[in-house]
Amino acid sequence: QVQLAESGGGLVQAGDSLRLSCTASEGTFSSYNMGWFRQAPGKEREFVAAITRSGGRTYYVDSVKGRFTISRDNAKNTVYLQMNSLKPEDTAVYYCAATTDSFAVMTRLNYSYWGQGTQVTVSS
């Protein structure tokens, strides 16, 4: 079992950047594929990005491609989400999640472990 804690959210203006971090405690971090999801008010939680155990492959939702970058440091038990050129529509609570599933890393229901979330607010 792995415990996840996000940090790095905040209030920024459109065009600014933020880097979210998610640190894992307990469990073997390098055993998990990691994902970032987000949930805006009144909307379902949606996939944002994912990275495989070794960091060799990454996946993104179309709306963030070219702006967001997911990475991980297994020595620090941490996954990151670098968010550039932020837009008001990126406003949401961002969650990191862990899964042992290797075939559907963009599917929310395949993730077993979740953090508490961190708020990102982008003003226009």
Side-chain angles (χ1 to χ4, degrees):
Q1 189 167 348
V2 61
Q3 307 279 350
L4 302 173
E6 303 95 337
S7 61
L11 171 63
V12 298
Q13 294 186 331
D16 285 351
S17 298
L18 275 177
R19 188 177 79 158
L20 305 183
S21 299
C22 172
T23 301
S25 60
E26 303 184 20
T28 305
F29 180 70
S30 59
S31 299
Y32 297 93
N33 299 307
M34 299 297 298
W36 285 97
F37 292 76
R38 65 186 179 187
Q39 188 167 17
K43 296 187 177 181
E44 291 191 355
R45 193 171 300 187
E46 67 169 353
F47 169 79
V48 176
I51 189 167
T52 54
R53 294 176 181 85
S54 66
R57 296 193 69 175
T58 57
Y59 306 82
Y60 298 94
V61 67
D62 284 348
S63 60
V64 307
K65 284 180 180 177
R67 299 189 299 123
F68 290 12
T69 302
I70 188 171
S71 61
R72 67 190 295 163
D73 185 339
N74 286 345
K76 296 183 178 180
N77 290 351
T78 301
V79 61
Y80 305 98
L81 186 66
Q82 178 66 45
M83 305 186 294
N84 298 330
S85 302
L86 282 160
K87 304 175 180 180
E89 50 264 43
D90 295 318
T91 295
V93 177
Y94 283 71
Y95 299 88
C96 71
T99 180
T100 56
D101 190 299
S102 297
F103 299 103
V105 294
M106 293 182 283
T107 303
R108 175 174 56 90
L109 293 178
N110 287 336
Y111 284 79
S112 301
Y113 305 105
W114 293 82
Q116 294 299 308
T118 185
Q119 177 71 47
V120 172
T121 304
V122 185
S123 63
S124 57

